[in-house]
Amino acid sequence: MTLSLRDHISVLSGSDAVVLVSVAAIKGSTPREVGAFMLITSGKIAGTIGGGNLEHQVTLQVRSMLESDVANMPVARIKRFPLGPGLGQCCGGSVEVGFHLLSDGDRADLRTVLADIVACPVSQSGRWVMLPVDGGQGRTELVGADTTNATMLASGFGTARGGIMAINGLDMLCLRLDEALTPMWIFGAGHVGKAIVQAMAPLPFDVHLVDSRDAYLDLPESEKLHIIQSDRPELEVSDIASGAHVLILTHNHALDFDICRAAIMRDDLGFVGMIGSQTKRARFIRRLSDRGLGAAEISRLTCPIGIQGITGKQPVVIAASVAAQLLSVREAQMAQNQTTKTASDGVG
């Protein structure tokens, strides 16, 4: 099983028939949400609808259909799977699974949309792909989670059976993408900074690694890792995107203070964390207060960083703890953003 969008693109680029399997509707406790999807061919799988026996049985059914007679396969169908009695999974709910045999046009359109996302991946909220149903004439398109239609989808409103919505008079299949990336700036490319970069590599973050010391910036850049050498790292704070997370891990306490002060003076960042002890925190709070910062600004600082109860000081242990903390913060913020948007749209 593969989860990267690059693997989805690879499957869509092949010559084998492709069945798109999606979570069309849910009831009770289920492993994935409406819109989760996977691609299945006779020899490849990309994506997931929750794993376990549900995914195993779905894959067997698709491959059985592909081996029998692709030409006579229905273009689309919906099947209900009870998770408890039917599949022996402990979730206890039920899932309606949509099976869509993709036309050549659907495959090309979906591949183009996913390639565009890979080329420009940064987004601070979830996104949806709308795919025409049954080879219709509609255009496959990307929809941001801050739009009304996507808000309705995520909230469970306005979605017809089968995860299909009527948009501008066309029936569109709604697919949820989970590769929305949260921008993260790490100040300090020492042992801990590099360990955090490595821990974040498979996670949904777009990382900027900043250091004044060019010799320490020896990690290879990638689509999700951007290397920035700056003689004045604290000045880079003004360029950080709204909603981004900031980690302060430099080799110099005075530099830590300058970056920290610049970051918490902004009220639009998602998380500002600094490595250090309770003693360091107390000293910084006192100095920040002496510089005229109030309780609201100072409360934006998290120090020490990491999950409580994890006390190991090895860089890889700190990195694992911080990664878990930032994932928790990210999911809470995305849930809050969705709730706020839903309320403002009058949905619910």
Side-chain angles (χ1 to χ4, degrees):
M1 181 197 304
T2 54
L3 302 179
S4 167
L5 289 188
R6 290 183 179 278
D7 296 309
H8 289 71
I9 294 169
S10 175
V11 169
L12 292 166
S13 301
S15 58
D16 293 338
V18 179
V19 176
L20 186 152
V21 176
S22 61
V23 177
I26 60 176
K27 183 177 181 180
S29 177
T30 60
R32 291 298 303 273
E33 63 286 330
V34 171
F37 73 100
M38 61 191 296
L39 303 174
I40 302 176
T41 73
S42 59
K44 295 181 179 179
I45 295 175
T48 178
I49 58 170
N53 198 28
L54 169 65
E55 197 162 290
H56 176 64
Q57 293 301 324
V58 164
T59 301
L60 290 178
Q61 291 186 26
V62 168
R63 287 182 169 164
S64 176
M65 291 187 291
L66 290 174
E67 290 173 2
S68 57
D69 189 358
V70 175
N72 292 320
M73 280 182 61
V75 174
R77 70 186 184 94
I78 303 292
K79 183 173 181 179
R80 180 177 177 272
F81 290 84
L83 297 179
L87 296 176
Q89 295 192 204
C90 60
C91 297
S94 64
V95 178
E96 290 189 19
V97 176
F99 297 80
H100 289 78
L101 177 64
L102 297 183
S103 67
D104 290 343
D106 288 339
R107 289 169 59 174
D109 289 345
L110 182 56
R111 184 173 65 243
T112 298
V113 169
L114 298 184
D116 288 344
I117 296 170
V118 170
C120 186
V122 178
S123 173
Q124 295 176 46
S125 56
R127 293 169 293 181
W128 297 77
V129 165
M130 306 301 180
L131 184 71
V133 174
D134 295 349
Q137 299 302 308
R139 180 173 61 89
T140 301
E141 58 184 317
L142 178 68
V143 179
D146 57 348
T147 65
T148 300
N149 285 334
T151 299
M152 292 171 68
L153 278 167
S155 305
F157 292 89
T159 307
R161 183 177 183 271
I164 297 169
M165 280 188 73
I167 300 176
N168 297 326
L170 297 171
D171 286 339
M172 304 291 282
L173 179 65
C174 308
L175 308 175
R176 184 186 184 95
L177 295 175
D178 294 323
E179 285 210 352
L181 304 181
T182 297
M184 184 171 72
W185 289 63
I186 300 176
F187 290 87
H191 294 304
V192 175
K194 287 178 178 175
I196 292 176
V197 167
Q198 292 172 344
M200 291 295 179
L203 302 177
F205 293 91
D206 187 60
V207 177
H208 298 71
L209 180 63
V210 185
D211 205 297
S212 60
R213 306 164 297 175
D214 189 64
Y216 281 74
L217 296 170
D218 55 356
L219 294 177
E221 283 198 309
S222 68
E223 293 174 351
K224 292 170 56 180
L225 175 61
H226 316 280
I227 304 297
I228 301 172
Q229 191 281 325
S230 175
D231 293 333
R232 297 285 302 278
E234 70 275 14
L235 300 182
E236 304 295 329
V237 174
S238 61
D239 293 332
I240 297 176
S242 177
H245 295 341
V246 175
L247 291 176
I248 304 165
L249 319 156
T250 82
H251 61 293
N252 185 298
H253 279 206
L255 182 55
D256 280 353
F257 180 82
D258 290 339
I259 298 169
C260 172
R261 181 171 179 269
I264 65 174
M265 287 180 67
R266 292 185 52 172
D267 64 359
D268 62 339
L269 297 178
F271 177 90
V272 178
M274 182 174 65
I275 195 168
S277 62
Q278 291 292 347
T279 300
K280 181 179 179 180
R281 172 185 173 83
R283 289 175 178 171
F284 270 54
I285 289 176
R286 184 167 59 252
R287 291 182 63 193
L288 292 167
S289 181
D290 290 344
R291 294 288 188 92
L293 276 71
E297 291 87 359
I298 293 173
S299 68
R300 297 175 188 140
L301 173 63
T302 297
C303 179
I305 51 176
I307 301 295
Q308 288 188 354
I310 299 179
T311 59
K313 302 301 183 183
Q314 303 95 323
V316 291
V317 174
I318 296 172
S321 179
V322 170
Q325 181 182 34
L326 291 180
L327 279 174
S328 178
V329 170
R330 177 182 183 273
E331 293 201 6
Q333 290 175 343
M334 291 180 68
Q336 179 59 43
N337 291 342
Q338 185 60 65
T339 299
T340 301
K341 181 60 182 176
T342 300
S344 67
D345 286 343
V347 179

